[in-house]
Amino acid sequence: MIRARILAVAAAALTVGLTACSPGGSSAQGPGSVIQDPPANSAPAESTDSGSTETTAPAAGSASSRPEQKPDNGLCKATDLQLSFGKGGAAAGTAYRPLIFTNTSGDQCVIQGFPGVSYVGGNDGHQVGAPASRVDEKGPPITLQPGEQASAVIGYVAVENYEPENCRPEPVRGLRIYPPQETASMYIEFDYAETGCTNDKVHQLSVQTMKPGRGER
């Protein structure tokens, strides 16, 4: 009898020990639950209720707290655009003609400011003379939905107004265009004969800021 009581007490003690080491209980995660590490440089969340689960807010500047943005803030790239000339006019020895940018991509994009513009000559596509100078102030951003257009008016000074020895004229084939805030260039060919000055001291081209629409006069 004494030995039986000793065995019974030992068995009870063993049962208590196994229960204390069990992964079960109110602090255990159920099947399929996810345990997340606390954000960096922050303490683990404290539970105010033994039956509730605390959620720690993401740290400021973390990926989950920033809105999703497109690369380059959605700016129009050369590959998103198609160039064309619009109808213009002339005044005081300068012809004005809008250069039209059409969004041919499947997404909206933003265009703002001044395109880079210069004459192109020869079969090698070399630049002829100085690039276009900017006129007036930079305009506001323009959001182009697929198929929508914006334009910048380009001024072409009649190079015949300059002395040939000063201008050093050369036939030009078209324009090299850099869309605003873009490093890749585009090219548009003239549909008429044009001449540029190879002297880069001569003011022969001007460009206005981008505006919505075709900009035709």
Side-chain angles (χ1 to χ4, degrees), residues 90-187:
T94 301
Y96 296 94
R97 196 176 185 188
L99 179 67
I100 301 169
F101 295 74
T102 303
N103 179 7
T104 56
S105 74
D107 299 306
Q108 72 174 29
C109 63
V110 176
I111 194 166
Q112 179 186 19
F114 298 89
V117 180
S118 59
Y119 280 134
V120 171
N123 292 329
D124 60 351
H126 64 272
Q127 179 173 319
V128 176
S133 57
R134 297 177 177 183
V135 179
D136 296 329
E137 297 181 355
K138 179 180 178 179
I142 303 166
T143 299
L144 296 180
Q145 301 295 334
E148 290 187 337
Q149 297 175 320
S151 59
V153 174
I154 298 175
Y156 305 83
V157 175
V159 297
E160 294 79 11
N161 296 338
Y162 296 103
E163 295 294 331
E165 60 271 17
N166 184 34
C167 171
R168 303 198 293 272
E170 178 182 326
V172 292
R173 300 169 46 201
L175 297 174
R176 178 175 291 114
I177 305 295
Y178 288 89
Q181 305 178 66
E182 167 68 305
T183 57
S185 66
M186 307 174 69
Y187 172 76

Side-chain angles (χ1 to χ4, degrees), residues 15-36:
T15 301
V16 172
L18 291 174
T19 302
C21 297
S22 171
S26 60
S27 62
Q29 294 287 335
S33 61
V34 178
I35 303 175
Q36 296 182 338

